Coordinates of all heavy atoms in Angstrom, one line a residue:
V1 N 15.2 -13.4 -26.2 CA 14.3 -12.4 -26.5 C 12.9 -12.7 -26.0 O 12.3 -11.8 -25.4 CB 14.4 -12.1 -28.0 CG1 13.5 -11.1 -28.3 CG2 15.7 -11.8 -28.5
A2 N 12.5 -13.9 -26.1 CA 11.1 -14.3 -25.7 C 11.0 -14.3 -24.2 O 9.9 -13.8 -23.8 CB 10.7 -15.7 -26.2
I3 N 12.0 -14.6 -23.4 CA 12.0 -14.6 -22.0 C 11.7 -13.0 -21.6 O 11.1 -12.8 -20.6 CB 13.2 -15.1 -21.4 CG1 13.3 -16.6 -21.8 CG2 13.3 -15.0 -19.9 CD1 12.1 -17.4 -21.2
G4 N 12.6 -12.1 -22.2 CA 12.3 -10.7 -21.8 C 11.0 -10.3 -22.1 O 10.4 -9.5 -21.3
R5 N 10.4 -10.7 -23.1 CA 9.1 -10.3 -23.5 C 8.0 -10.8 -22.5 O 7.1 -10.1 -22.1 CB 8.7 -10.8 -24.9 CG 7.5 -10.2 -25.5 CD 7.3 -10.5 -27.0 NE 7.6 -11.8 -27.3 CZ 8.3 -12.1 -28.3 NH1 8.8 -11.2 -29.1 NH2 8.7 -13.5 -28.5
Q6 N 8.3 -12.1 -22.1 CA 7.3 -12.7 -21.1 C 7.5 -11.9 -19.7 O 6.5 -11.6 -19.1 CB 7.7 -14.2 -20.9 CG 7.3 -14.9 -22.1 CD 7.9 -16.4 -22.0 OE1 8.8 -16.6 -21.2 NE2 7.4 -17.3 -22.8
F7 N 8.8 -11.5 -19.4 CA 9.0 -10.8 -18.1 C 8.2 -9.4 -18.2 O 7.6 -9.0 -17.3 CB 10.4 -10.6 -17.9 CG 10.7 -9.8 -16.7 CD1 10.5 -10.2 -15.4 CD2 11.1 -8.4 -16.8 CE1 10.8 -9.5 -14.3 CE2 11.3 -7.6 -15.8 CZ 11.1 -8.1 -14.5
A8 N 8.3 -8.8 -19.4 CA 7.7 -7.5 -19.5 C 6.2 -7.6 -19.4 O 5.5 -6.8 -18.8 CB 8.0 -6.8 -20.9
I9 N 5.5 -8.6 -20.0 CA 4.1 -8.9 -19.9 C 3.8 -9.1 -18.4 O 2.8 -8.5 -17.8 CB 3.7 -10.1 -20.8 CG1 3.7 -9.6 -22.2 CG2 2.3 -10.4 -20.4 CD1 3.6 -10.8 -23.2
T10 N 4.5 -10.0 -17.8 CA 4.2 -10.2 -16.3 C 4.4 -8.9 -15.5 O 3.6 -8.8 -14.6 CB 5.3 -11.3 -15.8 OG1 5.2 -12.5 -16.6 CG2 5.0 -11.6 -14.4
A11 N 5.4 -8.2 -15.7 CA 5.6 -7.0 -15.0 C 4.4 -6.0 -15.2 O 3.9 -5.4 -14.2 CB 6.9 -6.2 -15.4
K12 N 4.0 -5.9 -16.4 CA 2.7 -5.0 -16.7 C 1.5 -5.5 -16.0 O 0.8 -4.8 -15.4 CB 2.5 -5.0 -18.2 CG 3.5 -4.1 -18.9 CD 3.3 -4.1 -20.4 CE 4.5 -3.4 -21.2 NZ 4.4 -3.5 -22.6
V13 N 1.3 -6.8 -16.0 CA 0.1 -7.4 -15.3 C 0.2 -7.1 -13.8 O -0.7 -6.8 -13.2 CB 0.0 -8.9 -15.7 CG1 -1.1 -9.5 -14.7 CG2 -0.4 -9.1 -17.2
F14 N 1.4 -7.3 -13.3 CA 1.6 -7.1 -11.9 C 1.4 -5.6 -11.5 O 0.7 -5.3 -10.5 CB 3.2 -7.4 -11.6 CG 3.4 -7.2 -10.2 CD1 3.1 -8.2 -9.1 CD2 4.3 -6.1 -9.6 CE1 3.4 -8.0 -7.8 CE2 4.5 -6.0 -8.3 CZ 4.0 -6.8 -7.4
V15 N 1.9 -4.7 -12.3 CA 1.6 -3.3 -12.1 C 0.1 -3.0 -12.2 O -0.5 -2.2 -11.4 CB 2.4 -2.4 -13.0 CG1 2.1 -0.9 -12.8 CG2 3.9 -2.4 -12.6
A16 N -0.5 -3.5 -13.2 CA -1.9 -3.3 -13.3 C -2.7 -3.8 -12.2 O -3.7 -3.3 -11.7 CB -2.5 -3.9 -14.6
S17 N -2.3 -5.0 -11.6 CA -3.0 -5.6 -10.5 C -2.8 -4.8 -9.2 O -3.8 -4.6 -8.5 CB -2.3 -6.9 -10.2 OG -2.6 -7.8 -11.3
I18 N -1.6 -4.2 -9.0 CA -1.4 -3.2 -8.0 C -2.4 -2.0 -8.1 O -3.0 -1.7 -7.0 CB 0.1 -2.8 -7.8 CG1 1.0 -4.0 -7.4 CG2 0.1 -1.6 -6.8 CD1 2.4 -3.7 -7.4
F19 N -2.4 -1.5 -9.3 CA -3.3 -0.3 -9.5 C -4.7 -0.7 -9.2 O -5.5 0.0 -8.5 CB -3.1 0.1 -10.8 CG -4.0 1.3 -11.3 CD1 -3.9 2.5 -10.8 CD2 -5.1 1.1 -12.2 CE1 -4.8 3.6 -11.1 CE2 -6.0 2.2 -12.5 CZ -5.7 3.4 -12.0
V20 N -5.3 -1.8 -9.8 CA -6.6 -2.2 -9.5 C -6.9 -2.6 -8.1 O -8.0 -2.2 -7.6 CB -6.9 -3.5 -10.4 CG1 -8.3 -4.1 -10.1 CG2 -7.0 -3.1 -11.9
A21 N -5.9 -3.1 -7.4 CA -6.1 -3.5 -5.9 C -6.2 -2.1 -5.2 O -7.0 -2.0 -4.3 CB -4.8 -4.2 -5.4
Y22 N -5.4 -1.1 -5.5 CA -5.5 0.2 -4.8 C -6.9 0.8 -5.0 O -7.5 1.3 -4.1 CB -4.4 1.2 -5.3 CG -4.4 2.4 -4.7 CD1 -4.0 2.7 -3.4 CD2 -5.1 3.6 -5.4 CE1 -4.0 3.9 -2.8 CE2 -5.2 4.8 -4.7 CZ -4.6 5.0 -3.5 OH -4.7 6.2 -2.9
I23 N -7.3 0.8 -6.3 CA -8.7 1.3 -6.6 C -9.8 0.6 -5.9 O -10.7 1.2 -5.3 CB -8.9 1.3 -8.2 CG1 -7.8 2.2 -8.9 CG2 -10.3 1.8 -8.5 CD1 -7.8 3.7 -8.4
A24 N -9.7 -0.7 -5.9 CA -10.6 -1.5 -5.2 C -10.7 -1.3 -3.7 O -11.7 -1.2 -3.0 CB -10.2 -3.0 -5.4
A25 N -9.4 -1.0 -3.1 CA -9.4 -0.7 -1.7 C -10.1 0.7 -1.4 O -10.8 0.7 -0.4 CB -7.9 -0.7 -1.3
V26 N -9.8 1.6 -2.2 CA -10.4 2.8 -2.0 C -12.0 2.7 -2.1 O -12.8 3.1 -1.3 CB -10.1 4.0 -3.0 CG1 -10.9 5.2 -3.0 CG2 -8.6 4.2 -2.9
Q27 N -12.4 2.0 -3.2 CA -13.9 1.8 -3.4 C -14.6 0.9 -2.3 O -15.7 1.3 -1.9 CB -14.1 1.2 -4.8 CG -13.7 2.2 -6.0 CD -14.6 3.4 -5.9 OE1 -15.8 3.4 -5.6 NE2 -14.0 4.6 -6.1
I28 N -13.9 -0.1 -1.9 CA -14.5 -1.0 -0.9 C -14.7 -0.1 0.4 O -15.6 -0.4 1.0 CB -13.7 -2.2 -0.7 CG1 -14.6 -3.4 0.0 CG2 -12.4 -2.0 0.1 CD1 -15.6 -3.9 -0.9
T29 N -13.6 0.6 0.7 CA -13.7 1.5 1.9 C -14.8 2.5 1.8 O -15.5 2.7 2.8 CB -12.4 2.2 2.2 OG1 -11.3 1.2 2.2 CG2 -12.4 3.0 3.4
I30 N -15.1 3.1 0.7 CA -16.1 4.1 0.5 C -17.4 3.3 0.7 O -18.3 3.8 1.3 CB -16.0 4.7 -0.9 CG1 -14.8 5.7 -0.8 CG2 -17.3 5.5 -1.1 CD1 -14.4 6.3 -2.2
S31 N -17.6 2.2 0.1 CA -18.9 1.5 0.0 C -19.2 0.9 1.3 O -20.4 0.5 1.6 CB -19.0 0.5 -1.2 OG -18.1 -0.5 -1.0
E32 N -18.3 0.5 2.1 CA -18.5 -0.4 3.3 C -18.4 0.4 4.6 O -19.0 0.0 5.6 CB -17.5 -1.5 3.4 CG -17.6 -2.6 2.2 CD -18.7 -3.5 2.5 OE1 -19.0 -3.9 3.5 OE2 -19.3 -3.8 1.4
R33 N -17.6 1.5 4.7 CA -17.3 2.1 6.0 C -18.6 2.5 6.8 O -18.5 2.5 8.0 CB -16.3 3.2 5.8 CG -16.9 4.4 5.1 CD -15.8 5.5 4.9 NE -16.3 6.5 3.9 CZ -15.6 7.4 3.4 NH1 -14.3 7.4 3.6 NH2 -16.0 8.2 2.6
A34 N -19.5 3.0 6.2 CA -20.8 3.5 6.9 C -21.9 2.5 7.1 O -22.8 2.9 7.7 CB -21.3 4.8 6.2
V35 N -21.7 1.3 6.7 CA -22.7 0.2 6.8 C -22.6 -0.4 8.1 O -21.5 -0.9 8.5 CB -22.5 -0.7 5.5 CG1 -23.4 -1.9 5.7 CG2 -22.7 0.0 4.2
S36 N -23.7 -0.6 8.7 CA -23.8 -1.2 10.0 C -23.6 -2.8 9.6 O -24.0 -3.4 8.8 CB -25.3 -1.2 10.6 OG -25.4 -1.9 11.8
G37 N -22.7 -3.3 10.5 CA -22.3 -4.8 10.4 C -21.1 -5.0 9.5 O -20.6 -6.2 9.5
S38 N -20.7 -4.0 8.8 CA -19.5 -4.1 8.0 C -18.2 -4.2 8.8 O -18.2 -3.5 9.9 CB -19.3 -3.0 6.9 OG -18.1 -2.9 6.3
N39 N -17.2 -4.9 8.3 CA -15.9 -4.9 9.0 C -14.8 -4.3 8.3 O -13.7 -4.3 8.8 CB -15.6 -6.4 9.3 CG -15.5 -7.2 8.1 OD1 -15.4 -6.7 7.0 ND2 -15.6 -8.5 8.3
I40 N -15.1 -3.5 7.2 CA -14.2 -2.7 6.6 C -14.5 -1.3 6.8 O -15.4 -0.7 6.2 CB -14.1 -3.0 5.0 CG1 -13.8 -4.5 4.8 CG2 -13.1 -2.2 4.3 CD1 -13.9 -4.9 3.4
K41 N -13.8 -0.7 7.8 CA -14.1 0.8 8.3 C -13.3 1.8 7.8 O -13.6 2.9 7.9 CB -14.3 0.7 9.8 CG -15.4 -0.3 10.3 CD -16.7 0.3 9.8 CE -17.9 -0.6 10.5 NZ -19.2 -0.2 10.0
D42 N -11.9 1.4 7.5 CA -11.0 2.5 7.0 C -10.1 2.0 5.9 O -10.2 0.7 5.5 CB -10.2 2.9 8.3 CG -9.4 1.9 8.9 OD1 -8.9 0.9 8.3 OD2 -9.1 1.9 10.3
F43 N -9.3 2.9 5.4 CA -8.4 2.5 4.2 C -7.5 1.3 4.6 O -7.2 0.6 3.7 CB -7.7 3.7 3.6 CG -6.9 3.3 2.5 CD1 -7.5 3.1 1.3 CD2 -5.6 3.3 2.5 CE1 -6.8 2.7 0.2 CE2 -4.9 3.0 1.4 CZ -5.5 2.7 0.2
G44 N -7.0 1.3 5.7 CA -6.2 0.2 6.2 C -6.9 -1.3 6.1 O -6.3 -2.1 5.5
D45 N -8.2 -1.2 6.5 CA -8.8 -2.5 6.3 C -9.1 -2.8 4.9 O -9.0 -3.9 4.4 CB -10.3 -2.4 7.0 CG -10.1 -2.1 8.5 OD1 -9.0 -2.5 9.2 OD2 -11.1 -1.7 9.1
G46 N -9.3 -1.8 4.1 CA -9.7 -1.8 2.6 C -8.5 -2.3 1.9 O -8.5 -3.3 1.0
I47 N -7.3 -1.8 2.2 CA -6.2 -2.2 1.5 C -5.6 -3.6 1.9 O -5.2 -4.4 1.1 CB -4.9 -1.1 1.6 CG1 -3.8 -1.4 0.6 CG2 -4.3 -1.3 3.0 CD1 -4.2 -1.0 -0.8
W48 N -5.8 -4.0 3.2 CA -5.5 -5.4 3.6 C -6.5 -6.4 2.9 O -6.0 -7.3 2.4 CB -5.6 -5.5 5.1 CG -5.5 -6.9 5.6 CD1 -6.4 -7.7 6.1 CD2 -4.2 -7.6 5.7 NE1 -5.8 -9.0 6.4 CE2 -4.5 -8.9 6.1 CE3 -3.0 -7.3 5.2 CZ2 -3.5 -9.8 6.3 CZ3 -2.0 -8.3 5.5 CH2 -2.3 -9.5 5.9
W49 N -7.7 -6.1 2.8 CA -8.7 -6.8 2.1 C -8.3 -7.1 0.7 O -8.3 -8.1 0.1 CB -10.1 -6.3 2.2 CG -11.0 -7.0 1.3 CD1 -11.7 -8.2 1.4 CD2 -11.3 -6.4 0.0 NE1 -12.5 -8.4 0.3 CE2 -12.3 -7.4 -0.5 CE3 -11.1 -5.4 -0.8 CZ2 -12.9 -7.2 -1.8 CZ3 -11.5 -5.2 -2.0 CH2 -12.4 -6.1 -2.6
A50 N -8.0 -5.9 0.0 CA -7.6 -5.9 -1.4 C -6.3 -6.7 -1.7 O -6.3 -7.7 -2.6 CB -7.4 -4.5 -2.0
I51 N -5.3 -6.6 -0.8 CA -4.2 -7.4 -1.0 C -4.4 -8.8 -0.8 O -3.9 -9.6 -1.7 CB -3.0 -6.9 -0.1 CG1 -2.5 -5.5 -0.5 CG2 -1.8 -7.8 0.0 CD1 -1.6 -4.8 0.5
T52 N -5.1 -9.2 0.2 CA -5.3 -10.6 0.4 C -6.3 -11.2 -0.7 O -6.2 -12.4 -1.0 CB -6.0 -10.9 1.8 OG1 -7.2 -10.3 2.0 CG2 -5.0 -10.5 2.9
T53 N -7.2 -10.4 -1.2 CA -8.0 -10.9 -2.3 C -7.3 -11.0 -3.6 O -7.3 -12.1 -4.3 CB -9.2 -9.9 -2.5 OG1 -9.9 -9.9 -1.2 CG2 -10.1 -10.4 -3.5
V54 N -6.5 -10.0 -4.0 CA -5.8 -10.0 -5.3 C -4.7 -11.2 -5.3 O -4.4 -11.7 -6.3 CB -5.2 -8.7 -5.7 CG1 -3.9 -8.4 -5.0 CG2 -5.1 -8.7 -7.2
T55 N -4.1 -11.5 -4.2 CA -3.1 -12.6 -4.1 C -3.8 -13.9 -3.9 O -3.1 -14.9 -3.7 CB -2.1 -12.3 -2.8 OG1 -2.8 -12.2 -1.7 CG2 -1.3 -11.0 -3.2
T56 N -5.0 -14.0 -3.9 CA -5.9 -15.2 -3.7 C -5.6 -15.9 -2.4 O -6.0 -17.0 -2.1 CB -5.5 -16.2 -4.9 OG1 -4.3 -16.7 -4.7 CG2 -5.8 -15.5 -6.2
V57 N -5.2 -15.2 -1.4 CA -5.1 -15.7 0.0 C -6.4 -15.6 0.7 O -6.8 -16.7 1.2 CB -4.0 -14.9 0.8 CG1 -4.0 -15.3 2.2 CG2 -2.6 -15.0 0.2
G58 N -7.0 -14.5 0.7 CA -8.4 -14.6 1.3 C -8.5 -15.0 2.7 O -9.2 -16.0 2.9
Y59 N -7.9 -14.4 3.7 CA -7.9 -14.8 4.9 C -9.4 -14.9 5.5 O -9.8 -15.8 6.4 CB -7.2 -13.9 6.0 CG -5.7 -14.1 5.8 CD1 -4.9 -13.0 5.5 CD2 -5.1 -15.3 6.0 CE1 -3.5 -13.1 5.3 CE2 -3.8 -15.4 5.9 CZ -2.9 -14.3 5.6 OH -1.7 -14.4 5.4
G60 N -10.2 -14.0 5.2 CA -11.6 -14.0 5.6 C -11.8 -13.1 6.8 O -13.0 -12.9 7.4
D61 N -10.8 -12.3 7.2 CA -11.0 -11.5 8.4 C -11.7 -10.2 8.0 O -12.4 -9.6 8.8 CB -9.6 -11.2 9.1 CG -8.6 -10.7 8.1 OD1 -8.8 -10.8 6.9 OD2 -7.5 -10.3 8.6
Y62 N -11.6 -9.8 6.7 CA -12.3 -8.6 6.2 C -12.9 -9.1 4.9 O -12.3 -9.8 4.2 CB -11.4 -7.4 5.9 CG -10.8 -6.9 7.2 CD1 -9.4 -7.1 7.5 CD2 -11.4 -6.1 8.0 CE1 -8.8 -6.6 8.6 CE2 -10.9 -5.6 9.1 CZ -9.6 -5.8 9.4 OH -9.0 -5.3 10.5
Y63 N -14.2 -8.8 4.9 CA -15.0 -9.1 3.6 C -16.1 -8.1 3.4 O -16.7 -7.5 4.4 CB -15.6 -10.5 3.9 CG -16.4 -10.7 5.1 CD1 -17.7 -10.4 5.2 CD2 -15.7 -11.1 6.3 CE1 -18.4 -10.6 6.4 CE2 -16.3 -11.3 7.5 CZ -17.6 -11.0 7.4 OH -18.4 -11.1 8.7
P64 N -16.5 -7.9 2.2 CA -17.6 -7.1 1.9 C -18.9 -7.5 2.3 O -19.2 -8.8 2.2 CB -17.5 -6.8 0.4 CG -16.8 -8.1 -0.2 CD -15.9 -8.6 1.0
T65 N -19.8 -6.6 2.7 CA -21.1 -7.0 3.1 C -22.2 -6.4 2.1 O -23.4 -6.8 2.1 CB -21.5 -6.6 4.5 OG1 -21.3 -5.2 4.7 CG2 -20.6 -7.3 5.6
T66 N -21.8 -5.3 1.4 CA -22.8 -4.7 0.5 C -22.7 -5.4 -0.9 O -21.7 -6.0 -1.3 CB -22.4 -3.3 0.3 OG1 -21.2 -3.1 -0.3 CG2 -22.4 -2.5 1.7
T67 N -23.7 -5.2 -1.7 CA -23.7 -5.7 -3.0 C -22.7 -5.1 -3.8 O -22.0 -5.8 -4.6 CB -25.1 -5.5 -3.8 OG1 -26.2 -6.2 -2.9 CG2 -25.2 -6.1 -5.1
E68 N -22.5 -3.7 -3.6 CA -21.4 -3.1 -4.4 C -20.2 -3.6 -4.0 O -19.3 -3.9 -4.9 CB -21.6 -1.6 -4.1 CG -20.5 -0.7 -4.8 CD -20.7 0.8 -4.4 OE1 -21.3 1.1 -3.5 OE2 -20.1 1.5 -5.1
G69 N -19.9 -3.8 -2.8 CA -18.6 -4.3 -2.3 C -18.3 -5.7 -2.8 O -17.2 -6.2 -3.2
K70 N -19.4 -6.6 -2.8 CA -19.2 -7.9 -3.4 C -18.9 -7.9 -4.9 O -18.2 -8.7 -5.4 CB -20.5 -8.7 -3.1 CG -20.6 -9.1 -1.7 CD -21.9 -9.7 -1.4 CE -22.1 -10.0 0.1 NZ -23.4 -10.5 0.5
L71 N -19.5 -7.0 -5.7 CA -19.1 -6.8 -7.0 C -17.6 -6.4 -7.3 O -17.0 -6.9 -8.1 CB -20.0 -5.8 -7.7 CG -21.5 -6.2 -7.9 CD1 -22.3 -5.1 -8.5 CD2 -21.6 -7.5 -8.8
F72 N -17.2 -5.5 -6.4 CA -15.7 -5.1 -6.4 C -14.9 -6.4 -6.0 O -13.9 -6.6 -6.7 CB -15.4 -4.0 -5.3 CG -16.0 -2.7 -5.7 CD1 -16.7 -2.0 -4.9 CD2 -15.5 -2.2 -6.9 CE1 -17.2 -0.8 -5.2 CE2 -16.0 -0.9 -7.4 CZ -16.8 -0.2 -6.5
A73 N -15.2 -7.2 -5.2 CA -14.6 -8.4 -4.7 C -14.6 -9.4 -6.0 O -13.5 -9.9 -6.1 CB -15.3 -9.1 -3.6
I74 N -15.6 -9.6 -6.7 CA -15.7 -10.4 -7.8 C -14.6 -10.0 -8.8 O -13.7 -10.8 -9.4 CB -17.1 -10.5 -8.5 CG1 -18.0 -11.3 -7.7 CG2 -16.9 -11.1 -9.8 CD1 -19.4 -11.1 -7.9
G75 N -14.5 -8.7 -9.2 CA -13.6 -8.1 -10.1 C -12.2 -8.3 -9.6 O -11.3 -8.8 -10.4
L76 N -11.9 -8.0 -8.4 CA -10.5 -8.2 -7.9 C -10.2 -9.7 -7.8 O -9.0 -9.9 -8.0 CB -10.5 -7.6 -6.4 CG -9.1 -7.3 -5.9 CD1 -8.3 -6.4 -6.8 CD2 -9.2 -6.7 -4.6
M77 N -11.0 -10.6 -7.5 CA -10.8 -12.0 -7.6 C -10.3 -12.4 -9.0 O -9.4 -13.2 -9.2 CB -12.0 -12.9 -7.1 CG -12.2 -12.8 -5.7 SD -13.5 -13.9 -5.3 CE -14.5 -12.8 -4.3
I78 N -10.9 -11.9 -10.0 CA -10.7 -12.2 -11.4 C -9.2 -11.7 -11.7 O -8.5 -12.3 -12.3 CB -11.8 -11.7 -12.3 CG1 -13.0 -12.5 -12.2 CG2 -11.3 -11.7 -13.8 CD1 -14.3 -11.8 -12.8
V79 N -8.9 -10.5 -11.2 CA -7.7 -9.8 -11.5 C -6.6 -10.7 -10.8 O -5.5 -11.0 -11.4 CB -7.6 -8.4 -11.0 CG1 -6.2 -7.9 -10.9 CG2 -8.5 -7.5 -11.8
G80 N -6.8 -11.1 -9.6 CA -5.9 -12.0 -8.8 C -5.7 -13.4 -9.5 O -4.5 -13.8 -9.7
I81 N -6.7 -14.0 -10.0 CA -6.6 -15.2 -10.8 C -5.8 -15.1 -12.0 O -4.9 -15.8 -12.4 CB -7.9 -15.9 -11.0 CG1 -8.6 -16.3 -9.7 CG2 -7.8 -17.1 -11.9 CD1 -10.1 -16.6 -9.8
T82 N -6.1 -13.9 -12.7 CA -5.4 -13.6 -14.0 C -3.9 -13.4 -13.6 O -3.0 -14.0 -14.4 CB -5.9 -12.4 -14.5 OG1 -7.4 -12.6 -14.9 CG2 -5.3 -12.0 -15.9
L83 N -3.5 -12.7 -12.6 CA -2.2 -12.4 -12.2 C -1.4 -13.7 -11.9 O -0.3 -14.0 -12.4 CB -2.1 -11.5 -10.9 CG -0.7 -11.3 -10.3 CD1 0.2 -10.6 -11.4 CD2 -0.8 -10.5 -9.0
M84 N -2.0 -14.6 -11.2 CA -1.5 -15.8 -10.8 C -1.2 -16.7 -12.1 O -0.2 -17.4 -12.3 CB -2.3 -16.7 -9.8 CG -2.4 -16.1 -8.4 SD -0.7 -15.8 -7.7 CE -0.8 -14.1 -7.1
G85 N -2.2 -16.7 -13.0 CA -2.1 -17.4 -14.3 C -1.0 -17.0 -15.1 O -0.3 -17.7 -15.7
V86 N -0.8 -15.6 -15.2 CA 0.3 -15.1 -16.0 C 1.6 -15.4 -15.5 O 2.6 -15.8 -16.2 CB 0.1 -13.5 -16.2 CG1 1.3 -12.9 -16.7 CG2 -1.1 -13.2 -17.0
I87 N 1.7 -15.3 -14.2 CA 3.0 -15.6 -13.4 C 3.3 -17.1 -13.7 O 4.5 -17.5 -14.0 CB 2.9 -15.2 -12.0 CG1 3.0 -13.8 -11.8 CG2 4.1 -15.8 -11.3 CD1 2.7 -13.3 -10.4
T88 N 2.4 -18.0 -13.5 CA 2.6 -19.4 -13.6 C 2.9 -19.8 -15.1 O 3.9 -20.5 -15.4 CB 1.3 -20.2 -13.3 OG1 0.9 -19.8 -11.9 CG2 1.5 -21.7 -13.5
A89 N 2.2 -19.2 -16.0 CA 2.6 -19.3 -17.4 C 3.9 -18.8 -17.8 O 4.6 -19.5 -18.6 CB 1.5 -18.7 -18.4
S90 N 4.3 -17.7 -17.2 CA 5.7 -17.2 -17.5 C 6.8 -18.1 -17.0 O 7.8 -18.5 -17.7 CB 5.8 -15.7 -16.9 OG 5.0 -15.0 -17.5
V91 N 6.7 -18.6 -15.7 CA 7.6 -19.6 -15.2 C 7.6 -20.7 -16.0 O 8.6 -21.3 -16.3 CB 7.2 -19.8 -13.7 CG1 8.1 -21.0 -13.1 CG2 7.4 -18.5 -12.9
A92 N 6.5 -21.4 -16.3 CA 6.4 -22.5 -17.3 C 7.2 -22.4 -18.5 O 7.9 -23.3 -18.9 CB 5.0 -23.0 -17.4
A93 N 6.9 -21.2 -19.2 CA 7.5 -20.9 -20.5 C 9.1 -20.8 -20.3 O 9.8 -21.2 -21.1 CB 7.0 -19.7 -21.0
W94 N 9.4 -20.3 -19.1 CA 11.0 -20.2 -18.8 C 11.6 -21.5 -18.7 O 12.5 -21.9 -19.4 CB 11.1 -19.4 -17.6 CG 12.7 -19.2 -17.4 CD1 13.5 -18.3 -17.9 CD2 13.3 -19.9 -16.3 NE1 14.7 -18.4 -17.3 CE2 14.7 -19.4 -16.4 CE3 13.0 -21.0 -15.3 CZ2 15.6 -20.0 -15.4 CZ3 14.0 -21.4 -14.6 CH2 15.3 -20.9 -14.6
F95 N 10.9 -22.5 -18.1 CA 11.4 -23.9 -17.9 C 11.4 -24.6 -19.3 O 12.5 -25.2 -19.5 CB 10.5 -24.7 -16.9 CG 10.8 -24.4 -15.5 CD1 9.8 -23.9 -14.6 CD2 12.1 -24.7 -14.9 CE1 10.2 -23.8 -13.3 CE2 12.4 -24.4 -13.6 CZ 11.4 -23.9 -12.8
V96 N 10.3 -24.4 -20.1 CA 10.4 -25.0 -21.5 C 11.6 -24.5 -22.2 O 12.2 -25.1 -22.9 CB 9.1 -24.7 -22.0 CG1 9.1 -25.1 -23.7 CG2 8.0 -25.5 -21.3
K97 N 11.7 -23.1 -22.2 CA 12.8 -22.5 -23.0 C 14.2 -23.0 -22.5 O 15.1 -23.3 -23.3 CB 12.8 -21.0 -22.8 CG 13.7 -20.2 -23.5 CD 13.3 -20.1 -24.9 CE 14.1 -19.2 -25.9 NZ 13.8 -19.3 -27.2
M98 N 14.4 -23.2 -21.1 CA 15.6 -23.7 -20.6 C 15.8 -25.1 -21.0 O 16.9 -25.5 -21.4 CB 15.6 -23.7 -19.1 CG 15.6 -22.1 -18.6 SD 16.9 -21.1 -19.3 CE 18.3 -21.8 -18.5
G99 N 14.7 -25.9 -21.1 CA 14.9 -27.3 -21.6 C 15.2 -27.4 -23.1 O 15.9 -28.2 -23.5
D100 N 14.7 -26.5 -23.9 CA 14.9 -26.5 -25.3 C 16.5 -26.1 -25.5 O 17.2 -26.7 -26.4 CB 14.1 -25.3 -26.0 CG 12.8 -25.8 -26.2 OD1 12.5 -27.0 -26.0 OD2 11.9 -24.9 -26.5
R101 N 17.0 -25.2 -24.6 CA 18.4 -24.8 -24.8 C 19.3 -25.9 -24.4 O 20.3 -26.2 -25.0 CB 18.8 -23.6 -23.8 CG 18.2 -22.3 -24.4 CD 18.7 -21.2 -23.4 NE 18.0 -19.9 -23.9 CZ 18.1 -18.8 -23.2 NH1 18.7 -18.8 -22.1 NH2 17.5 -17.7 -23.7
E102 N 19.0 -26.8 -23.4 CA 19.7 -28.0 -23.1 C 19.8 -29.1 -24.2 O 20.8 -29.8 -24.2 CB 19.2 -28.5 -21.7 CG 19.5 -27.7 -20.6 CD 19.0 -28.2 -19.2 OE1 18.4 -29.4 -19.2 OE2 19.0 -27.5 -18.2
E103 N 18.7 -29.2 -24.9 CA 18.6 -30.2 -26.0 C 19.5 -29.7 -27.2 O 19.9 -30.7 -27.9 CB 17.1 -30.3 -26.4 CG 16.3 -31.0 -25.4 CD 14.9 -31.0 -25.8 OE1 14.5 -30.8 -26.9 OE2 14.0 -31.6 -24.9
K104 N 19.8 -28.5 -27.3 CA 20.5 -28.1 -28.6 C 22.1 -28.3 -28.3 O 22.6 -28.6 -27.4 CB 20.2 -26.6 -28.8 CG 18.8 -26.4 -29.3 CD 18.6 -25.0 -29.7 CE 17.2 -24.9 -30.2 NZ 16.8 -23.6 -30.4

């Protein structure tokens, strides 16, 4: 039962992360597309930036140049770190649960 609950929490965090990444992609595109020197010019660039940021890959090929864009980036980085932490904790809890079952 606990494993199912952990999976449900992980799934909810994952879905929330996708939603936040989509919103961040829209907002970063709006805030960066008309700025001289910006490299995020359309939604494709924005969604690629959001995905690489939320997954903590961060290639660096697209990055915000405006203050507003940098604030979106900070928020998205926090969401990505949270997502990775929840997934890691869920996997660790699963291993602990499996170890407890073997001991019984």
Side-chain angles (χ1 to χ4, degrees):
V1 176
I3 298 299
R5 195 171 38 225
Q6 290 168 347
F7 176 76
I9 291 169
T10 302
K12 288 176 185 176
V13 170
F14 180 75
V15 169
S17 298
I18 290 172
F19 177 71
V20 170
Y22 178 80
I23 298 301
V26 169
Q27 291 300 318
I28 200 78
T29 303
I30 291 169
S31 66
E32 296 280 325
R33 67 181 168 195
V35 176
S36 177
S38 170
N39 55 21
I40 301 173
K41 296 295 184 187
D42 57 34
F43 183 71
D45 297 341
I47 197 73
W48 176 252
W49 167 82
I51 290 169
T52 60
T53 301
V54 81
T55 59
T56 69
V57 172
Y59 288 119
D61 50 352
Y62 294 104
Y63 51 88
T65 57
T66 63
T67 301
E68 182 181 11
K70 291 175 183 178
L71 291 173
F72 287 125
I74 290 168
L76 197 55
M77 286 180 231
I78 291 169
V79 168
I81 292 166
T82 302
L83 174 64
M84 294 303 130
V86 168
I87 291 171
T88 302
S90 294
V91 170
W94 182 77
F95 279 121
V96 168
K97 187 75 169 174
M98 296 307 290
D100 288 346
R101 287 184 183 170
E102 288 179 8
E103 291 177 7
K104 292 182 181 179

